[in-house]
Amino acid sequence: MLSIFKTIPTHMDYKGQKLAEQIFQGIILVSAMVGFVYGLIIEQFGWTVYIVMAGFAVSCVMTLPPWPMYRQNPLSWQPAIPEVSGESSQKPQEGLKKKKHK
Amino acid sequence: MNTVLSRANSLFAFSLSVMAALTFGCFITTAFKDRRVPVDVHVAKVMLKNIDDFTGPRERSDLGFITFDLSADILWSPIFDWNVKQLFLYLSAEYATKSNSLNQVVLWDKIVLRGENTKLNLKDMKSKYFFFDDGNGLRLEKHTVGLIFLQQKKSTFNSGTLVFAFPCSFFFGFL
C-alpha cells in the first residue's frame, strides 16, 4: 500500500512553483477585476465577493495539486557517486559523536 | 511554495489581500457621493402639557405633542448603492432652553432596508417617542425655535458608518 502512495509525485520543481504562483495571482486578480466591475454595475458588493471566491476555488484546483505541468523542468542532479568505502565515511562521524557525548 | 500547504497558505493570503483592496475600492467609489435628499416636513398640531415626569426628576415637566407630515423619496435619490445596506432615519427636534443651549429629542424613526419601498409619505403622524423636556423649557421659551431634520445613517458590512444631515429648516412655536 505504501509503495503505491510513494509513486504519486507530490513535488513541484522550481519553475513549476513560479508558474503556479503566477497562475493563481493572475486568476485571482482577473476575477477581482471582473467582480469589481460587475458589482459596481449591478450595485451588489456580494457578487464581487462571490466572483472572487469563485476565482479562489478555480486557482485552488489549478495550483494546489502538483499537476504534471508543474514538473516539466526537473533539476538535473549529479549522478550519485558510488561510495568507495562505507567504513571510512561512517567511522569519523561515530568518533565525533562519541567525543561529544564525553 | 513547494508543498500543498504552503501553496494554500500563500493563495489564501493573496486572496484576502485582494479582497481587502476590493473592499477599499468599494468604499472609495461611494465615499464622496452627495447623498442629500430633499425632504418636506410640516407640523400640523402642536400641543403642550405640563405633567409629572416619572421617568426623571419626579417633577412636572413639559411634554410636547406634535403631529407631522413628512414626504421624501429615498429610492429616487442615489442613497442606496452597493455600499449601503440599510438606512436609519430619524426625526429629531432641536431647541434651546435656558439651562441647555442645545436639546435634541428624537420624535420618530424608521429603518429602511435596501429593496424596500422607500417612498415616505406620512400624513398626520404622531410622534413615536415622547417629546419630554427635562424641565419646563418648552414653555419658558415662548418662541422656541425647533429645527427638525431627517438624518440618515448608513451602516455597511464593510466600511464603517457615515453620518450626514440635511437641515430642512422648519420652525414652530409653543405658545
Side-chain angles (χ1 to χ4, degrees):
Chain A
M1 281 298 286
L2 281 176
S3 60
I4 296 172
F5 287 117
K6 276 181 181 174
T7 56
I8 300 172
T10 58
H11 75 284
M12 281 187 184
D13 56 49
Y14 287 130
K15 285 194 174 174
Q17 291 174 27
K18 192 184 173 189
L19 180 66
E21 183 159 358
Q22 284 170 345
I23 283 176
F24 82 64
Q25 285 181 351
I27 288 175
I28 288 175
L29 282 178
V30 166
S31 68
M33 281 188 281
V34 169
F36 190 81
V37 172
Y38 185 67
L40 189 63
I41 289 170
I42 68 164
E43 306 243 310
Q44 297 272 334
F45 190 71
W47 275 98
T48 306
V49 176
Y50 291 146
I51 289 172
V52 172
M53 277 156 66
F56 176 78
V58 168
S59 55
C60 276
V61 173
M62 287 280 290
T63 61
L64 285 192
W67 299 113
M69 60 188 283
Y70 303 119
R71 278 181 271 117
Q72 301 292 333
N73 300 286
L75 289 179
S76 54
W77 295 96
Q78 272 192 347
I81 299 168
E83 291 182 14
V84 182
S85 57
E87 293 178 356
S88 61
S89 63
Q90 282 179 359
K91 267 190 178 176
Q93 282 182 354
E94 284 177 0
L96 275 172
K97 275 183 183 173
K98 278 178 183 174
K99 272 178 187 173
K100 273 183 182 174
H101 279 298
K102 280 174 183 176
Chain B
M1 291 292 294
N2 58 335
T3 62
V4 173
L5 268 184
S6 67
R7 277 197 297 277
N9 182 24
S10 56
L11 186 49
F12 188 62
F14 185 70
S15 305
L16 279 190
S17 308
V18 168
M19 200 75 93
L22 284 183
T23 322
F24 185 73
C26 177
F27 161 71
I28 280 294
T29 54
T30 55
F32 306 108
K33 277 174 71 177
D34 184 16
R35 298 177 195 273
R36 282 177 295 182
V37 171
V39 176
D40 282 336
V41 185
H42 302 284
V43 168
K45 269 186 239 166
V46 176
M47 259 177 15
L48 182 61
K49 286 189 175 179
N50 191 257
I51 59 168
D52 287 324
D53 182 6
F54 294 108
T55 63
R58 303 257 173 169
E59 290 167 3
R60 293 179 83 84
S61 301
D62 278 355
L63 174 63
F65 293 98
I66 66 166
T67 60
F68 60 93
D69 303 333
L70 190 150
S71 65
D73 190 359
I74 302 166
L75 195 65
W76 162 82
S77 69
I79 291 183
F80 280 102
D81 54 32
W82 69 335
N83 201 12
V84 178
K85 295 195 82 178
Q86 70 175 12
L87 229 53
F88 182 61
L89 313 167
Y90 61 94
L91 186 73
S92 75
E94 290 190 5
Y95 58 98
T97 55
K98 275 173 185 166
S99 47
N100 297 307
S101 59
L102 176 64
N103 299 275
Q104 288 178 307
V105 181
V106 173
L107 302 179
W108 172 87
D109 60 8
K110 184 179 172 61
I111 293 172
V112 180
L113 299 178
R114 182 163 60 188
E116 283 182 354
N117 181 23
T118 49
K119 250 186 190 166
L120 291 177
N121 196 5
L122 307 174
K123 285 269 158 70
D124 208 22
M125 278 289 289
K126 286 172 185 163
S127 68
K128 212 167 158 182
Y129 309 109
F130 285 120
F131 190 2
F132 250 125
D133 189 48
D134 61 345
N136 296 314
L138 294 183
R139 200 218 309 260
L140 286 174
E141 298 288 308
K142 265 204 169 172
H143 295 283
T144 307
V145 172
L147 182 66
I148 287 184
F149 53 94
L150 191 65
Q151 278 186 327
Q152 303 182 335
K153 224 178 226 180
K154 80 181 177 124
S155 62
T156 66
F157 71 108
N158 52 8
S159 75
T161 306
L162 291 174
V163 186
F164 66 94
F166 39 95
C168 168
S169 56
F170 147 75
F171 302 87
F172 64 94
F174 291 107
L175 301 173

